[in-house]
Amino acid sequence: MSNPFELKKTSEKSKARLGVIHTAHGDVTTPIFMPVGTEATVKGITSRDIKELEAEIILANTYHLYLRPGTKTVAEAGGVQKFMAWNGPMLTDSGGFQVWSLKDLRHITAEGVEFRSHLDGSRHLFTPESVMKAEREIGADIIMAFDECTPYPSTVEEAEKSLAYTLDWTRRAKAWLDANPPIHGYPQFFFGIVQGGMHKELRKKSIEALKEIGPDGYAMGGLSVGEPVETMYEIADFCTSLLPEDRARYVMGVGTPWNLLELIRRGVDMCDCILPNKNAQDGLVYTSVGVLRYKGAKFAHQHDAPLDPNCDCYCCKNYSRAYLRHLHKTKEPLGWTLATIHNLRFYIRLMQQAKAHIASGDFEEWSDAIIPVLKQDAV
């Protein structure tokens, strides 16, 4: 395996870092937020929109693409980028979290996970080897190890058993990858996943074992699964203190804009979350003046006010809060698309600003000032 990550700078006041991930489909500057394109689509918008939003990398999910349309079909297209007409870098989650979340529909053993499809009830088996084969076929630039997401809360014994599965599966996955090279003509980088629940001794054990396995990068899984937010920050901070400085660090499935800034301060390079997309469909957007819930009656006559007065996205440059409220109330899909465009642009622009402030040496002061504003209710 090799290392796609290049560390450029670390802040003198915190663990905040600047870096670059080099992939065959382009460079990704970190810290980065990755829009979620679960089924080879960022819900409600086109690949042209993604490019205009200045997204540098997006992710898709192995579980969902395995079920529909099938990873062999994606491979026939030449890989997921060609399949969805997106010529930039991509990451695929292994589906471990999705299978774990099926609860009554899955059975976990040392071999892997037997599960029933949430679509039609058909039976399937995910093993580390079969998931790596699927990720080879999908063809993302960064592929994740198959893991078991440790639930919260969990006892030390429960978390230790879960971690044993994850580490064994990671060893098996890497062995399979070493014996089965990429099939689309470009390298795929393999990231291991740190598990261990909220138990620091198990997180340390996980990291030490992963270092021996030698993945190309490291993700922190099992966070934002119901634990207090301060616990999430504490565990992420603990993990980054032990992870290699020369490898990318990724917290999976997190979070709000202020979550991202807090994690960057603690040495995290990569984040992803469905919140920008999901909340857009629910009539909630993030703005530079706070969280805006534009469904309220008071917004019906705000014809001269964009969602965010300081945003440069297509939505904010052309449409009013009153119009977005109208689209939401009439359940017009355009409303979800426009709100998604805004939310994703807001996240991406926030990361661009974070990088600029790390470069100039005042990230900590800037983030301290902006976080309370981001968390307040916009009016």
Side-chain angles (χ1 to χ4, degrees):
M1 295 287 180
S2 55
N3 182 11
F5 181 70
E6 180 183 358
L7 180 62
K8 294 288 191 178
K9 178 181 180 178
T10 301
S11 172
E12 296 179 358
K13 303 170 188 174
S14 73
K15 297 182 189 175
R17 301 157 25 119
L18 293 176
V20 181
I21 301 171
H22 302 286
T23 83
H25 289 91
D27 288 348
V28 179
T29 60
T30 62
I32 197 72
F33 173 79
M34 301 181 286
V36 176
T38 301
E39 299 182 272
T41 170
V42 178
K43 196 174 293 292
I45 65 176
T46 68
S47 295
R48 181 181 66 183
D49 295 325
I50 300 168
K51 184 176 181 180
E52 291 177 354
L53 293 171
E54 300 181 2
E56 297 182 44
I57 180 172
I58 60 177
L59 66 98
N61 182 264
T62 300
Y63 167 82
H64 290 282
L65 292 178
Y66 165 83
L67 292 177
R68 291 186 303 194
T71 56
K72 288 184 180 179
T73 299
V74 178
E76 289 171 2
V80 66
Q81 279 99 334
K82 289 184 179 179
F83 186 55
M84 66 178 292
W86 161 252
N87 195 35
M90 287 197 70
L91 178 150
T92 41
D93 188 3
S94 66
F97 176 81
Q98 284 70 31
V99 170
W100 169 79
S101 67
L102 292 173
K103 296 181 181 178
D104 296 335
L105 297 177
R106 48 87 170 149
H107 176 61
I108 301 170
T109 69
E111 176 63 16
V113 182
E114 298 175 3
F115 65 94
R116 294 173 60 187
S117 166
H118 71 286
L119 299 172
D120 60 11
S122 57
R123 294 184 180 277
H124 304 270
L125 173 66
F126 268 7
T127 67
E129 295 81 6
S130 71
V131 170
M132 292 305 102
K133 182 177 185 294
E135 293 198 78
R136 281 283 195 240
E137 290 174 340
I138 294 170
D141 301 276
I142 298 172
I143 58 179
M144 305 303 300
F146 186 52
D147 67 324
E148 191 199 355
C149 183
T150 307
Y152 176 84
S154 63
T155 65
V156 171
E157 292 75 21
E158 290 168 339
E160 194 161 29
K161 180 180 179 182
S162 174
L163 175 59
Y165 284 153
T166 290
L167 292 176
D168 180 57
W169 294 349
T170 304
R171 293 185 187 97
R172 287 165 54 188
K174 186 172 184 298
W176 192 93
L177 290 173
D178 289 346
N180 295 271
I183 63 175
H184 294 296
Y186 51 83
Q188 292 179 283
F189 300 107
F190 174 63
F191 278 32
I193 302 176
V194 179
Q195 290 287 358
M198 306 304 148
H199 308 288
K200 290 182 179 179
E201 67 275 18
L202 294 182
R203 290 280 177 172
K204 181 179 180 182
K205 179 180 179 180
S206 178
I207 291 169
E208 290 173 348
L210 285 174
K211 286 180 180 178
E212 293 180 5
I213 296 169
D216 303 316
Y218 294 81
M220 286 158 268
L223 295 176
S224 193
V225 290
E227 79 279 8
V229 67
E230 291 301 326
T231 301
M232 176 183 73
Y233 296 150
E234 182 181 352
I235 295 298
D237 192 34
F238 177 79
C239 290
T240 58
S241 295
L242 300 175
L243 289 168
E245 289 191 1
D246 66 340
R247 302 279 164 153
R249 305 161 176 173
Y250 167 27
V251 168
M252 307 176 74
V254 182
T256 62
W258 49 92
N259 289 158
L260 269 57
L261 297 181
E262 294 282 7
L263 290 170
I264 289 170
R265 181 188 291 256
R266 290 162 174 81
V268 171
D269 305 308
M270 305 164 67
C271 293
D272 79 279
C273 193
I274 63 168
L275 283 182
N277 312 64
K278 181 179 184 297
N279 286 338
Q281 295 181 50
D282 294 335
L284 184 153
V285 292
Y286 299 98
T287 80
S288 62
V289 293
V291 179
L292 179 68
R293 297 168 178 85
Y294 58 83
K295 295 183 290 184
K298 67 178 181 179
F299 298 109
H301 304 288
Q302 293 192 9
H303 301 292
D304 297 322
L307 295 179
D308 185 345
N310 301 309
C311 183
D312 62 359
C313 78
Y314 174 79
C315 176
C316 288
K317 288 193 292 187
N318 292 280
Y319 299 100
S320 68
R321 293 178 176 183
Y323 185 62
L324 265 291
R325 180 183 183 274
H326 160 69
L327 293 176
H328 187 86
K329 290 295 183 181
T330 55
K331 294 182 169 54
E332 283 291 338
L334 176 60
W336 305 332
T337 293
L338 292 174
T340 296
I341 285 172
H342 165 75
N343 268 348
L344 288 175
R345 177 57 185 155
F346 180 79
Y347 269 67
I348 291 165
R349 191 160 176 248
L350 186 69
M351 293 298 96
Q352 293 172 339
Q353 292 168 332
K355 281 180 272 215
H357 284 285
I358 296 171
S360 63
D362 66 344
F363 169 78
E364 293 74 18
E365 294 83 357
W366 169 76
S367 60
D368 282 344
I370 196 174
I371 284 173
V373 178
L374 296 177
K375 295 169 77 171
Q376 71 185 7
D377 287 334
V379 295

